Amino acid sequence: MVTQEAASQLGFVMALQGRYDDAIPHLQSAADMTERSFGPDSRQMINALQLLSYALYMERRFDETIVIMTRAVQLVDLEGARWPKTVVDVRSNLGRTYLEAGRPEEALPPLREAAALAARISRERATAISTQAEISRAPFRALVDAAWEVAEAR
């Protein structure tokens, strides 16, 4: 009996080798086993669905990819705040698949959502980096301020 991890690894290696059609049954099997093991709404399902959708996409099986990616979007929406970069990736992949499938009107909503979230993540990261820099400089700034106070007192 093949384990979920073995099926996933085998499918992943085949996909890396460009053998997408050979990878799909293994990745589908891994996704099925993941669902049985961890539940249909688990984080592990998101990863399994992303791997499967990649192989389907590369085989230009866009309608199947859209079904899988739509399910992945639903899963990341359940806990999206925990993995914002995953939300961006899944939504942008869904949008790109709609474009490849010749359905640009359906591509716009997930692409807009991905772009808006990516911009928000960038702003938050810039704020966090700036805050971290201020915190890192705080002891130095206190030392400089103390030195100025001493110098002004003289």
Side-chain angles (χ1 to χ4, degrees), residues 88 111-121 123:
V88 171
L111 290 174
R112 283 184 178 138
E113 292 164 4
L117 181 56
R120 192 182 95 225
I121 291 170
R123 282 191 307 274

Side-chain angles (χ1 to χ4, degrees), residues 2-73:
V2 176
T3 66
Q4 176 271 335
E5 186 175 340
S8 181
Q9 295 273 338
L10 185 58
F12 180 71
V13 168
M14 288 178 170
L16 286 176
Q17 294 171 340
R19 298 171 47 205
Y20 307 110
D21 196 42
D22 294 332
I24 291 168
H26 298 288
L27 295 172
Q28 181 63 62
S29 177
D32 294 342
M33 287 187 268
T34 299
E35 185 170 21
R36 285 193 301 274
S37 297
F38 298 100
D41 298 335
S42 68
R43 168 70 167 142
Q44 292 84 354
M45 277 306 299
I46 296 168
N47 294 334
L49 294 173
Q50 284 183 292
L51 283 172
L52 176 57
S53 68
Y54 173 72
L56 289 166
Y57 177 89
M58 295 305 290
E59 281 293 304
R60 304 189 62 76
R61 292 166 58 177
F62 300 128
D63 289 337
E64 293 169 84
T65 305
I66 289 168
V67 170
I68 299 294
M69 289 307 301
T70 300
R71 182 160 176 229
V73 166

Side-chain angles (χ1 to χ4, degrees), residues 125-141:
R125 181 175 290 144
T127 300
I129 290 169
S130 175
T131 301
Q132 182 61 40
E134 287 178 25
I135 290 169
S136 296
R137 288 191 308 257
F140 179 75
R141 181 172 289 150

